[in-house]
Amino acid sequence: MENVLFLLALTVICGALLYQGCRYLPGERWQMLAAVPVKTEGTGSWQGFNLTWYGLLTANAYVMALLMLIILLRSVAIELVPLLILAILLLAICVPASRWVAKVVEGKAHTFTVGGAVFVGVIVAPWLIGLINLSGDAPRLPMLATLAALGIAYAMGEGLGRLACISFGCCYGKPLSDCSSLLRKLFQRYHFVFYGENKKISYASGLQGQPVVPIQAITAILYVVVSVIGSGLFLLGHYQWAFMLTAVVTQGWRVFSEVLRADYRGNQRFSAYQWMGVVGMAYVVIVAWLVPVSEPLTAQIGNGLAALWSPLVLLSLQAVWLVIFWYTGKSTVTGATLSFFVHDERI
């Protein structure tokens, strides 16, 4: 019963977040979170840099993914320390990779690509788990269960992370005017309209105020649903299927969804990110079938939730949130000019 209640609560919380995010985040108000003055211009105004909702929502998504990983693996009595070591190593590799891959594929030094980061993570994850297991006398991280938890955590983090894309106006869909009559009819009522000249959809494609395919919302809903289903499979001990479901669906959707996107993805007809998705799916299937299927571990979700009160976990989550927020939230493509004044009537 605890497992069922956990899945229901997870569904309700994520559903509420996605609903409110899709409703409000396309608006201009929800791009800039704060502006910080750094240099005076000598005329009463200051130059500053922007902190964005993109960074806050991305940091939230990373922490949610880490929460899912901890809860699931602790629910089957996996040790906390090797679990956190794995998470930190993956973040240390994948977070910088999100910028490196974008620079290689798109030629842009000031953008991020989740697709590229995920591809790198998919490739290195089994090797990192094996490396950690070599550090002890006995395997500390069951390979298939850990990969399944990673797939579930990624799907959840990526799903909620799409709220950041809605806020920034990136990863946007095609304008309905360029779509087939079937797609126009399908999204006639449910579409996105972005506002704000500083949103990427405005300055990169000039699509401010135009109805576009809500590809970020579709991706978010699909990934969160897959994560919840994968969590159910994990708690039942079906690690192989949980891993393949989350990994194949997310990577498969990445390949297909690009036909509905209008943002720049490289010059190739079949983009580098689509090739990454194809290779990632094949790699996942091979790994899932090569790793021996072990006996399912007894899952007690209460033990997983109890782990969140550990000082080590709380401090780790806070540190991850701060690092991700600063790395992704300090905008390098927008700037700010600020002025300050005194309310004379309040003196």
Side-chain angles (χ1 to χ4, degrees):
M1 180 57 71
E2 284 184 344
N3 294 346
V4 174
L5 291 176
F6 168 73
L7 295 175
L8 286 175
L10 188 64
T11 301
V12 171
I13 292 171
C14 291
L17 288 173
L18 294 180
Y19 174 77
Q20 294 297 330
C22 292
R23 182 179 180 184
Y24 293 109
L25 290 175
E28 185 174 8
R29 162 69 180 82
W30 299 99
Q31 182 177 2
M32 305 303 179
L33 176 65
V36 180
V38 293
K39 181 181 179 181
T40 181
E41 295 184 336
T43 58
S45 61
W46 290 69
Q47 295 180 7
F49 65 84
N50 297 316
L51 297 174
T52 62
W53 280 97
Y54 178 94
L56 184 143
L57 293 168
T58 300
N60 289 350
Y62 271 93
V63 168
M64 186 61 182
L66 190 52
L67 280 172
M68 291 296 295
L69 183 67
I70 293 171
I71 291 170
L72 291 174
L73 290 183
R74 284 299 297 152
S75 73
V76 292
I78 302 301
E79 293 180 39
L80 188 58
V81 171
L83 189 165
L84 290 176
I85 291 173
L86 173 65
I88 291 169
L89 288 175
L90 278 173
L91 289 173
I93 294 171
C94 294
V95 173
S98 67
R99 180 164 276 174
W100 299 338
V101 176
K103 186 174 182 179
V104 172
V105 174
E106 303 177 41
K108 298 178 181 179
H110 300 284
T111 190
F112 300 95
T113 168
V114 175
V118 170
F119 176 72
V120 173
V122 167
I123 298 299
V124 304
W127 302 97
L128 290 179
I129 296 170
L131 183 63
I132 292 172
N133 285 339
L134 288 176
S135 64
D137 296 331
R140 309 173 75 185
L141 295 171
M143 180 65 76
L144 208 49
T146 305
L147 287 173
L150 284 172
I152 294 164
Y154 158 67
M156 179 59 69
E158 171 77 346
L160 295 179
R162 286 295 148 179
L163 295 177
C165 297
I166 299 174
S167 170
F168 182 46
C170 62
C171 306
Y172 45 90
K174 291 181 177 181
L176 294 188
S177 58
D178 292 345
C179 294
S180 65
S181 58
L182 177 61
L183 288 177
R184 287 199 299 270
K185 184 176 181 180
L186 182 63
F187 296 115
Q188 183 177 8
R189 181 177 179 183
Y190 300 103
H191 56 259
F192 278 152
V193 179
F194 290 90
Y195 296 99
E197 293 181 356
N198 294 313
K199 287 187 183 286
K200 187 175 181 179
I201 190 173
S202 300
Y203 65 75
S205 298
L207 295 176
Q208 178 182 193
Q210 296 189 38
V212 297
V213 175
I215 193 65
Q216 304 101 320
I218 299 170
T219 302
I221 294 169
L222 175 64
Y223 283 21
V224 168
V225 168
V226 165
S227 181
V228 173
I229 295 173
S231 297
L233 291 172
F234 182 94
L235 295 174
L236 292 172
H238 302 308
Y239 309 128
Q240 188 179 53
W241 291 109
F243 175 47
M244 286 200 297
L245 172 71
T246 53
V248 171
V249 170
T250 54
Q251 294 308 296
W253 175 250
R254 182 168 297 281
V255 174
F256 173 76
S257 64
E258 290 209 8
V259 303
L260 299 175
R261 289 174 60 164
D263 56 324
Y264 180 72
R265 312 296 292 165
N267 295 320
Q268 303 89 345
R269 183 176 180 85
F270 196 82
S271 76
Y273 297 115
Q274 288 174 298
W275 280 116
M276 290 178 197
V278 171
V279 173
M281 282 191 290
Y283 184 79
V284 162
V285 172
I286 292 171
V287 170
W289 287 107
L290 286 180
V291 175
V293 178
S294 58
E295 289 294 323
L297 305 169
T298 302
Q300 295 181 329
I301 202 67
N303 292 339
L305 294 171
L308 302 183
W309 296 106
S310 164
L312 178 60
V313 171
L314 291 174
L315 291 173
S316 297
L317 292 175
Q318 291 175 31
V320 167
W321 192 94
L322 288 171
V323 169
I324 299 299
F325 174 66
W326 184 254
Y327 187 75
T328 63
K330 184 181 177 182
S331 178
T332 58
V333 296
T334 64
T337 301
L338 300 88
S339 61
F340 304 95
F341 62 91
V342 175
H343 287 284
D344 292 334
E345 72 277 8
R346 299 179 184 177
I347 299 176

mmCIF file of all heavy atoms in Angstrom, residues 70-71 74-75 80 300-311 313-314:
data_model
loop_
_atom_site.group_PDB
_atom_site.id
_atom_site.type_symbol
_atom_site.label_atom_id
_atom_site.label_comp_id
_atom_site.label_asym_id
_atom_site.label_seq_id
_atom_site.Cartn_x
_atom_site.Cartn_y
_atom_site.Cartn_z
ATOM 1 N N ILE A 70 17.728 8.413 -5.105
ATOM 2 C CA ILE A 70 17.980 8.060 -3.701
ATOM 3 C C ILE A 70 16.814 7.252 -3.138
ATOM 4 O O ILE A 70 17.010 6.221 -2.479
ATOM 5 C CB ILE A 70 18.210 9.339 -2.868
ATOM 6 C CG1 ILE A 70 19.521 10.007 -3.296
ATOM 7 C CG2 ILE A 70 18.229 9.019 -1.378
ATOM 8 C CD1 ILE A 70 19.728 11.382 -2.692
ATOM 9 N N ILE A 71 15.600 7.718 -3.368
ATOM 10 C CA ILE A 71 14.425 7.041 -2.810
ATOM 11 C C ILE A 71 14.324 5.605 -3.313
ATOM 12 O O ILE A 71 14.123 4.664 -2.531
ATOM 13 C CB ILE A 71 13.140 7.826 -3.140
ATOM 14 C CG1 ILE A 71 13.104 9.150 -2.372
ATOM 15 C CG2 ILE A 71 11.894 7.000 -2.810
ATOM 16 C CD1 ILE A 71 11.995 10.079 -2.815
ATOM 17 N N ARG A 74 17.491 3.431 -2.115
ATOM 18 C CA ARG A 74 17.444 3.207 -0.663
ATOM 19 C C ARG A 74 16.254 2.315 -0.275
ATOM 20 O O ARG A 74 16.295 1.621 0.732
ATOM 21 C CB ARG A 74 17.354 4.538 0.083
ATOM 22 C CG ARG A 74 18.659 5.305 0.154
ATOM 23 C CD ARG A 74 19.744 4.525 0.882
ATOM 24 N NE ARG A 74 19.376 4.289 2.283
ATOM 25 C CZ ARG A 74 19.799 3.262 3.007
ATOM 26 N NH1 ARG A 74 20.581 2.343 2.468
ATOM 27 N NH2 ARG A 74 19.435 3.133 4.266
ATOM 28 N N SER A 75 15.202 2.336 -1.108
ATOM 29 C CA SER A 75 14.051 1.480 -0.809
ATOM 30 C C SER A 75 14.398 0.004 -0.930
ATOM 31 O O SER A 75 13.717 -0.850 -0.360
ATOM 32 C CB SER A 75 12.874 1.817 -1.736
ATOM 33 O OG SER A 75 13.113 1.346 -3.057
ATOM 34 N N LEU A 80 24.055 4.281 0.978
ATOM 35 C CA LEU A 80 23.905 5.679 0.601
ATOM 36 C C LEU A 80 25.176 6.264 -0.018
ATOM 37 O O LEU A 80 25.113 7.002 -0.997
ATOM 38 C CB LEU A 80 23.498 6.495 1.837
ATOM 39 C CG LEU A 80 23.113 7.948 1.595
ATOM 40 C CD1 LEU A 80 21.952 8.055 0.622
ATOM 41 C CD2 LEU A 80 22.769 8.625 2.922
ATOM 42 N N GLN A 300 10.920 -1.344 0.008
ATOM 43 C CA GLN A 300 10.131 -0.696 1.049
ATOM 44 C C GLN A 300 10.306 0.809 0.880
ATOM 45 O O GLN A 300 11.325 1.378 1.290
ATOM 46 C CB GLN A 300 10.595 -1.151 2.440
ATOM 47 C CG GLN A 300 10.358 -2.625 2.710
ATOM 48 C CD GLN A 300 10.801 -3.052 4.091
ATOM 49 O OE1 GLN A 300 11.747 -2.511 4.657
ATOM 50 N NE2 GLN A 300 10.094 -4.035 4.655
ATOM 51 N N ILE A 301 9.315 1.425 0.285
ATOM 52 C CA ILE A 301 9.438 2.825 -0.081
ATOM 53 C C ILE A 301 9.615 3.709 1.143
ATOM 54 O O ILE A 301 10.235 4.792 1.074
ATOM 55 C CB ILE A 301 8.205 3.272 -0.905
ATOM 56 C CG1 ILE A 301 8.557 4.524 -1.734
ATOM 57 C CG2 ILE A 301 7.005 3.529 -0.015
ATOM 58 C CD1 ILE A 301 9.562 4.288 -2.806
ATOM 59 N N GLY A 302 9.127 3.263 2.289
ATOM 60 C CA GLY A 302 9.301 4.031 3.515
ATOM 61 C C GLY A 302 10.773 4.223 3.859
ATOM 62 O O GLY A 302 11.183 5.288 4.335
ATOM 63 N N ASN A 303 11.588 3.190 3.622
ATOM 64 C CA ASN A 303 13.020 3.312 3.882
ATOM 65 C C ASN A 303 13.661 4.322 2.924
ATOM 66 O O ASN A 303 14.577 5.064 3.305
ATOM 67 C CB ASN A 303 13.700 1.951 3.719
ATOM 68 C CG ASN A 303 13.277 0.964 4.791
ATOM 69 O OD1 ASN A 303 12.805 1.363 5.851
ATOM 70 N ND2 ASN A 303 13.430 -0.319 4.511
ATOM 71 N N GLY A 304 13.186 4.339 1.701
ATOM 72 C CA GLY A 304 13.711 5.305 0.743
ATOM 73 C C GLY A 304 13.384 6.732 1.137
ATOM 74 O O GLY A 304 14.234 7.628 1.059
ATOM 75 N N LEU A 305 12.140 6.965 1.558
ATOM 76 C CA LEU A 305 11.740 8.304 1.976
ATOM 77 C C LEU A 305 12.457 8.728 3.251
ATOM 78 O O LEU A 305 12.814 9.906 3.423
ATOM 79 C CB LEU A 305 10.226 8.354 2.183
ATOM 80 C CG LEU A 305 9.382 8.166 0.916
ATOM 81 C CD1 LEU A 305 7.909 8.009 1.263
ATOM 82 C CD2 LEU A 305 9.583 9.342 -0.036
ATOM 83 N N ALA A 306 12.705 7.781 4.150
ATOM 84 C CA ALA A 306 13.396 8.100 5.402
ATOM 85 C C ALA A 306 14.821 8.580 5.157
ATOM 86 O O ALA A 306 15.369 9.377 5.926
ATOM 87 C CB ALA A 306 13.409 6.870 6.311
ATOM 88 N N ALA A 307 15.428 8.111 4.059
ATOM 89 C CA ALA A 307 16.805 8.511 3.754
ATOM 90 C C ALA A 307 16.930 10.001 3.474
ATOM 91 O O ALA A 307 18.019 10.574 3.598
ATOM 92 C CB ALA A 307 17.321 7.712 2.551
ATOM 93 N N LEU A 308 15.815 10.639 3.111
ATOM 94 C CA LEU A 308 15.873 12.058 2.770
ATOM 95 C C LEU A 308 16.143 12.936 3.983
ATOM 96 O O LEU A 308 16.464 14.119 3.837
ATOM 97 C CB LEU A 308 14.553 12.485 2.114
ATOM 98 C CG LEU A 308 14.163 11.723 0.841
ATOM 99 C CD1 LEU A 308 12.888 12.283 0.257
ATOM 100 C CD2 LEU A 308 15.284 11.774 -0.179
ATOM 101 N N TRP A 309 15.999 12.372 5.183
ATOM 102 C CA TRP A 309 16.262 13.142 6.398
ATOM 103 C C TRP A 309 17.708 13.042 6.844
ATOM 104 O O TRP A 309 18.093 13.628 7.853
ATOM 105 C CB TRP A 309 15.331 12.686 7.526
ATOM 106 C CG TRP A 309 13.883 12.956 7.212
ATOM 107 C CD1 TRP A 309 12.933 12.059 6.866
ATOM 108 C CD2 TRP A 309 13.244 14.238 7.173
ATOM 109 N NE1 TRP A 309 11.736 12.678 6.622
ATOM 110 C CE2 TRP A 309 11.901 14.019 6.806
ATOM 111 C CE3 TRP A 309 13.681 15.540 7.413
ATOM 112 C CZ2 TRP A 309 10.988 15.062 6.677
ATOM 113 C CZ3 TRP A 309 12.770 16.583 7.274
ATOM 114 C CH2 TRP A 309 11.440 16.336 6.913
ATOM 115 N N SER A 310 18.507 12.308 6.114
ATOM 116 C CA SER A 310 19.921 12.199 6.435
ATOM 117 C C SER A 310 20.626 13.532 6.178
ATOM 118 O O SER A 310 20.445 14.132 5.115
ATOM 119 C CB SER A 310 20.571 11.095 5.591
ATOM 120 O OG SER A 310 21.981 11.212 5.606
ATOM 121 N N PRO A 311 21.437 14.019 7.151
ATOM 122 C CA PRO A 311 22.176 15.267 6.915
ATOM 123 C C PRO A 311 23.032 15.211 5.649
ATOM 124 O O PRO A 311 23.147 16.208 4.934
ATOM 125 C CB PRO A 311 23.045 15.395 8.173
ATOM 126 C CG PRO A 311 22.295 14.654 9.229
ATOM 127 C CD PRO A 311 21.657 13.503 8.508
ATOM 128 N N VAL A 313 22.419 13.564 2.884
ATOM 129 C CA VAL A 313 21.535 13.728 1.732
ATOM 130 C C VAL A 313 21.076 15.178 1.599
ATOM 131 O O VAL A 313 21.122 15.771 0.510
ATOM 132 C CB VAL A 313 20.317 12.791 1.841
ATOM 133 C CG1 VAL A 313 19.289 13.114 0.764
ATOM 134 C CG2 VAL A 313 20.758 11.337 1.718
ATOM 135 N N LEU A 314 20.648 15.767 2.697
ATOM 136 C CA LEU A 314 20.153 17.143 2.652
ATOM 137 C C LEU A 314 21.230 18.113 2.185
ATOM 138 O O LEU A 314 20.986 18.989 1.334
ATOM 139 C CB LEU A 314 19.641 17.554 4.040
ATOM 140 C CG LEU A 314 18.369 16.855 4.516
ATOM 141 C CD1 LEU A 314 18.064 17.242 5.962
ATOM 142 C CD2 LEU A 314 17.190 17.221 3.630
#
